[in-house]
Amino acid sequence: MVVSVKVFKKATPNGKVTFYLGRRDFIDHIDYCDPVDGVIVVEPDYLKNRKVFGQLATTYRYGREEDEVMGVKFSKELILCREQIVPMTNPNMEMTPMQEKLVRKLGSNAYPFTFHFPPNSPSSVTLQQEGDDNGKPLGVEYTIRAFVGDSEDDRQHKRSMVSLVIKKLQYAPLNRGQRLPSSLVSKGFTFSNGKISLEVTLDREIYYHGEKTAATVQVSNNSKKSVKSIKCFIVQHTEITMVNAQFSKHVAQLETKEGCPITPGANLTKTFYLIPLAANNKDRHGIALDGHLKDEDVNLASSTMVQEGKSTGDACGIVISYSVRIKLNCGTLGGEMQTDVPFKLLQPAPGTIEKKRSNAMKKMKSIEQHRNVKGYYQDDDDNIVFEDFAKMRMNNVNMAD
Amino acid sequence: MHINGPSGPQAYVNDSLGDGSVFPMGHGYPAEYQHMVHAHWRGFREAPIYYHAGFYIAFIVLMLSSIFGNGLVIWIFSTSKSLRTPSNLLILNLAIFDLFMCTNMPHYLINATVGYIVGGDLGCDIYALNGGISGMGASITNAFIAFDRYKTISNPIDGRLSYGQIVLLILFTWLWATPFSVLPLFQIWGRYQPEGFLTTCSFDYLTNTDENRLFVRTIFVWSYVIPMTMILVSYYKLFTHVRVHEKMLAEQAKKMNVKSLSANANADNMSVELRIAKAALIIYMLFILAWTPYSVVALIGCFGEQQLITPFVSMLPCLACKSVSCLDPWVYATSHPKYRLELERRLPWLGIREKHATSGTSGGQESVASVSGDTLALSVQN
């Protein structure tokens, strides 16, 4: 079997130091998080006793650049890890398979490095801007960076610095949960007796991006008013913890009068289907997306997951949650009644479905792989595809100027 | 300068003596304009010529710098795409008011040359109306700029005012400036009259009727107290918000085990708040500088020792608010990074050097991690 491995590559403007990264998406499994593993290649004889330092930084941008007046900056950069990469501080460092592969392929000038996301570090989220806004994206972004210098605090020269944006994402847990989220409310009226009760039940607790949500609405009208129409929304709740701001946006909606009016004494049971999709919310200001690097395969931001026993209040960065909101219009005098049912919208972990089927098979495979480790690597070496960022680098340099 | 005035009995005496300073104020006024001069001024002697010359030169300088500064702001803000934001419309509006105020300057220069208000009552009304609208308009625009900044900075993602809201605010600034400049114009409430060296005009703060006193009191609250309160409250709230944001960010950094390099980060934190406090203070002081002299003179004229209001003293407020209209473009626009960039691009000979580094990399570097290399290396075993 020939498997080609995609490798991301980016060099400093002067081309002397190059990043090689096996991937740009790193998954937070809630109990642990994938480390950022990569390799740096330095052109021989370039350093001359200088060193190469690496950093993992997160940038919070919570306001437009154009609005920065009075010396306010709407962005903060937190350097999460910093490390000396060349010369290696720990020559016996354990390498990940990807690093081993790259080091073998790239020769003696390749130095592996590993960064760990600290606990509680937020996921990458991009807040969508209106149409023609071409400023820096708002949200949480991660960057790895390498630069040449004598010490860590050395002034970083643009020509010998390389940085690459990476993503930190969360995937859905393997178990989608058995509980069906539901909510029950009732509403009385000031000048008349009786109540309208509304019960909403979802068919899942966790949806994957692109999946249809089904909300079953049960209305029983024991009042003297009648329900004129029913509205159904999917609401994205965004909490920007760094400025203590929160807002909600409808990402999918429908309104129906089917089965309406629900006259006094009548009941209605109806299921609404909605698909929350980023594609339907293009150019809408403030919609949160999973940190995105390219325009294709953008999806709405995934719900923020926190470790058990912790509340989302402890989470950092941008906290995302979703709910289905049902609104009943009870006429001009009756007003509106509404209820929210929370659910989670997540990315399926890769191979979730197969995993369930073939856990046993995988185990066997891995044993096999280990048996002929050498052959496996040799096989793979020729199939590394380097994705070069040369063009992007040029653009970045221009932008920086 | 009054020697150039039209010949009359006074002018004749004046010529024969060769020294104007012994004559009472207003003697240089033509007979048909004599009714314009408030009795208060007749108690003072004509100011020596070097006072006139001093103000004359000052006003020329102010006029040129106002046309240059405000003209530049209007030109650049209305023609560059990168500056086309709702908030910047307010800055544009302020520049328009300031330039509007500057249109009085040529009139003043002519008046100062001949020694009386050219155009008589009508000229005086036009002068004072111009000054009233632009002055009150500028002061309320200052207040709205403060409010807009508060909205933008306290809630940068969805708090900023939309185009529609800003346009409404701008309309409101013009409406705000209207009543107390139009009422005296038609002498419905208050009136306009020459002041100072009797070469400028403003509303009447000398007549001691109850009606006029109430007018002065109202205009004091309307064009001074209300905008100043708005400015104070907005910048104070803005400041507290920034402080909270900084604190929350520091807390988040702590949660992620990012221990700040204490000295570095603290110095940075301080500077953000200090920077804002400084900027807010400058704007506030500018407002005080512009309008306190007028308020003080008007209030003294109405309620206090009128003898304190000499022609020279009453010239100062006029000078103060005109100099502020020249300073506005520097304080508001020049502290705007995008405007500076645009200026540098279009007028390289101005010698503005914007720091490119700050616009290239994002924000101030805040903190530094504490995770050591060893722990990193150990946990990569799988």
Side-chain angles (χ1 to χ4, degrees):
Chain A
M1 192 174 72
V2 177
V3 192
S4 70
V5 185
K6 210 176 184 186
V7 173
F8 296 96
K9 174 187 174 189
K10 194 178 177 189
T12 53
N14 61 15
K16 306 289 187 193
V17 180
T18 312
F19 259 134
Y20 289 87
L21 219 58
R23 54 184 168 160
R24 296 175 82 186
D25 294 2
F26 298 89
I27 309 306
D28 183 353
H29 304 274
I30 296 155
D31 42 346
Y32 76 99
C33 184
D34 293 351
V36 181
D37 53 338
V39 165
I40 270 188
V41 174
V42 184
E43 208 163 276
D45 309 328
Y46 171 64
L47 284 183
K48 295 189 190 99
N49 291 328
R50 284 179 300 172
K51 295 162 180 169
V52 178
F53 297 97
Q55 290 179 341
L56 168 65
T58 175
T59 308
Y60 288 175
R61 176 159 273 284
Y62 46 90
R64 292 172 202 75
E65 235 181 334
E66 61 182 37
D67 288 340
E68 291 176 341
V69 283
M70 294 177 76
V72 174
K73 284 262 180 276
F74 290 138
S75 84
K76 278 275 144 59
E77 188 183 83
L78 299 146
I79 296 172
L80 302 174
C81 309
R82 44 168 55 185
E83 194 189 350
Q84 180 180 317
I85 300 175
V86 186
M88 284 173 76
T89 44
N90 178 7
N92 306 320
M93 174 180 147
E94 297 264 352
M95 288 189 273
T96 59
M98 174 55 82
Q99 286 174 326
E100 277 179 28
K101 224 182 291 177
L102 283 168
V103 167
R104 189 163 319 142
K105 170 106 183 161
L106 298 165
S108 58
N109 290 317
Y111 303 87
F113 64 89
T114 308
F115 293 127
H116 288 255
F117 289 101
N120 290 322
S121 53
S123 296
S124 300
V125 172
T126 306
L127 294 177
Q128 192 167 263
Q129 299 273 308
E130 270 152 303
D132 57 342
D133 201 312
N134 44 15
K136 294 207 179 85
L138 305 191
V140 175
E141 207 178 64
Y142 285 91
T143 313
I144 54 167
R145 193 180 291 143
F147 58 92
V148 178
D150 294 321
S151 77
E152 275 193 3
D153 302 313
D154 217 10
R155 251 191 93 69
Q156 300 164 16
H157 297 287
K158 246 178 221 145
R159 289 197 46 74
S160 60
M161 178 160 83
V162 54
S163 56
L164 184 60
V165 177
I166 58 171
K167 283 197 279 185
K168 176 174 180 283
L169 298 173
Q170 286 181 324
Y171 281 167
L174 289 178
N175 185 3
R176 286 229 242 176
Q178 300 302 312
R179 200 177 64 87
L180 301 184
S182 75
S183 153
L184 174 67
V185 287
S186 58
K187 178 183 164 91
F189 298 95
T190 329
F191 296 111
S192 62
N193 294 327
K195 283 181 172 178
I196 296 178
S197 65
L198 164 66
E199 186 175 0
V200 182
T201 311
L202 304 184
D203 65 336
R204 283 186 188 289
E205 192 184 353
I206 294 176
Y207 293 95
Y208 296 146
H209 289 289
E211 268 187 348
K212 194 155 56 171
T213 62
T216 306
V217 176
Q218 280 175 288
V219 183
S220 51
N221 188 354
N222 299 315
S223 74
K224 287 170 184 160
K225 307 272 178 196
S226 60
V227 177
K228 299 276 193 291
S229 66
I230 304 171
K231 279 185 206 161
C232 180
F233 303 97
I234 290 184
V235 190
Q236 183 186 56
H237 306 276
T238 307
E239 193 189 334
I240 321 267
T241 58
M242 45 271 200
V243 290
N244 203 11
Q246 47 201 39
F247 50 85
S248 301
K249 301 266 180 192
H250 297 157
V251 290
Q253 54 191 303
L254 66 85
E255 181 175 4
T256 182
K257 288 189 171 167
E258 228 179 280
C260 293
I262 307 170
T263 48
N267 293 323
L268 176 84
T269 304
K270 202 169 160 49
T271 305
F272 291 90
Y273 298 98
L274 282 172
I275 310 177
L277 278 180
N280 297 338
N281 291 286
K282 273 212 166 117
D283 293 342
R284 277 187 64 206
H285 172 67
I287 299 283
L289 307 171
D290 264 344
H292 87 281
L293 306 170
K294 291 176 196 159
D295 272 341
E296 61 257 34
D297 61 76
V298 169
N299 51 256
L300 291 171
S302 300
S303 301
T304 305
M305 311 274 284
V306 286
Q307 244 170 327
E308 252 172 85
K310 280 188 177 177
S311 76
T312 46
D314 292 328
C316 293
I318 295 178
V319 179
I320 303 289
S321 56
Y322 287 90
S323 66
V324 168
R325 176 174 294 169
I326 303 288
K327 264 189 189 173
L328 300 185
N329 177 6
C330 311
T332 27
L333 288 174
E336 278 189 331
M337 66 184 290
Q338 71 167 50
T339 185
D340 273 54
V341 190
F343 68 92
K344 289 192 167 72
L345 185 64
L346 288 160
Q347 194 94 275
T352 306
I353 300 139
E354 295 119 72
K355 240 175 221 160
K356 274 180 188 163
R357 275 193 222 131
S358 59
N359 255 346
M361 255 178 64
K362 271 204 165 172
K363 231 174 217 170
M364 271 174 62
K365 256 190 192 169
S366 77
I367 293 166
E368 224 172 302
Q369 272 175 14
H370 272 286
R371 206 178 291 148
N372 40 27
V373 152
K374 211 174 175 190
Y376 173 74
Y377 283 138
Q378 224 84 61
D379 224 336
D380 242 25
D381 270 6
D382 299 326
N383 298 310
I384 295 179
V385 177
F386 292 107
E387 182 152 315
D388 205 336
F389 284 87
K391 199 169 167 239
M392 234 172 90
R393 188 180 77 223
M394 296 280 290
N395 290 344
N396 280 346
V397 169
N398 288 345
M399 263 164 62
D401 282 345
Chain B
M1 300 283 166
H2 54 271
I3 6 182
N4 297 331
S7 50
Q10 288 97 344
Y12 172 73
V13 181
N14 177 20
D15 278 348
S16 66
L17 274 171
D19 178 54
S21 60
V22 296
F23 289 98
M25 292 280 295
H27 84 282
Y29 261 55
E32 65 268 34
Y33 293 164
Q34 282 293 336
H35 68 275
M36 290 167 67
V37 180
H38 193 275
H40 170 78
W41 303 117
R42 299 204 188 271
F44 296 96
R45 287 182 172 175
E46 192 69 67
I49 193 151
Y50 48 87
Y51 278 145
H52 281 283
F55 278 108
Y56 200 86
I57 292 166
F59 272 75
I60 289 182
V61 171
L62 288 182
M63 180 174 75
L64 294 179
S65 68
S66 173
I67 291 174
F68 178 71
N70 291 302
L72 216 55
V73 168
I74 292 173
W75 174 50
I76 302 250
F77 273 82
S78 55
T79 54
S80 17
K81 218 178 158 209
S82 63
L83 288 168
R84 221 166 282 159
T85 68
S87 306
N88 287 346
L89 282 184
L90 282 172
I91 294 187
L92 198 61
N93 192 50
L94 182 65
I96 290 170
F97 273 126
D98 285 342
L99 205 61
F100 200 45
M101 179 174 276
C102 179
T103 55
N104 265 347
M105 307 264 210
H107 193 180
Y108 166 81
L109 295 178
I110 298 168
N111 294 343
T113 313
V114 298
Y116 61 93
I117 306 272
V118 172
D121 282 319
L122 181 66
C124 184
D125 282 348
I126 292 174
Y127 188 100
L129 182 69
N130 230 347
I133 290 182
S134 55
M136 281 186 270
S139 78
I140 197 70
T141 306
N142 269 305
F144 285 158
I145 289 175
F147 175 69
D148 172 65
R149 287 182 164 179
Y150 156 66
K151 290 284 284 178
T152 309
I153 290 175
S154 66
N155 202 346
I157 287 171
D158 59 347
R160 74 169 185 176
L161 301 171
S162 67
Y163 268 110
Q165 286 165 316
I166 293 280
V167 168
L168 274 182
L169 282 186
I170 286 174
L171 280 179
F172 191 79
T173 60
W174 288 85
L175 282 179
W176 180 268
T178 311
F180 290 96
S181 40
V182 168
L183 287 175
L185 177 69
F186 297 112
Q187 306 206 353
I188 301 168
W189 196 15
R191 66 191 188 96
Y192 289 138
Q193 66 167 20
E195 59 162 1
F197 294 154
L198 303 180
T199 47
T200 64
C201 271
S202 182
F203 63 92
D204 174 11
Y205 44 78
L206 293 167
T207 308
N208 265 331
T209 60
D210 281 347
E211 191 197 354
N212 202 51
R213 285 182 166 187
L214 187 62
F215 177 78
V216 170
R217 219 176 281 169
T218 316
I219 204 170
F220 170 72
V221 172
W222 185 263
S223 61
Y224 185 74
V225 177
I226 293 177
M228 189 172 73
T229 317
M230 281 175 74
I231 292 176
L232 262 185
V233 170
S234 297
Y235 284 123
Y236 175 72
K237 283 175 94 173
L238 184 155
F239 181 75
T240 52
H241 265 98
V242 169
R243 213 164 51 181
V244 169
H245 293 174
E246 292 294 317
K247 219 161 121 193
M248 291 177 77
L249 280 160
E251 264 168 32
Q252 294 218 349
K254 218 159 130 197
K255 260 189 215 162
M256 285 190 265
N257 277 339
V258 178
K259 279 176 204 134
S260 347
L261 267 186
S262 51
N264 237 341
N266 281 348
D268 252 341
N269 277 349
M270 277 299 281
S271 76
V272 172
E273 287 160 26
L274 268 183
R275 263 206 308 272
I276 288 165
K278 218 173 85 185
L281 206 66
I282 287 175
I283 288 165
Y284 182 64
M285 291 318 286
L286 203 68
F287 187 88
I288 298 276
L289 177 71
W291 298 109
T292 308
Y294 244 122
S295 314
V296 169
V297 166
L299 290 181
I300 291 175
C302 236
F303 305 103
E305 288 284 315
Q306 288 209 348
Q307 277 311 304
L308 292 173
I309 304 180
T310 64
F312 177 75
V313 165
S314 82
M315 278 305 276
L316 293 178
C318 181
L319 192 70
C321 64
K322 289 204 166 42
S323 21
V324 168
S325 79
C326 304
L327 289 175
D328 277 341
W330 304 106
V331 170
Y332 282 106
T334 318
S335 65
H336 199 297
K338 291 250 152 135
Y339 175 72
R340 291 170 61 93
L341 278 175
E342 200 64 32
L343 265 189
E344 185 189 345
R345 197 171 65 78
R346 294 207 201 182
L347 304 173
W349 46 268
L350 274 177
I352 293 167
R353 290 272 165 274
E354 188 60 7
K355 274 178 261 158
H356 289 284
T358 50
S359 60
T361 60
S362 43
Q365 288 194 357
E366 262 282 289
S367 334
V368 160
S370 63
V371 192
S372 71
D374 297 24
T375 45
L376 289 183
L378 284 175
S379 41
V380 197
Q381 283 165 358
N382 311 323

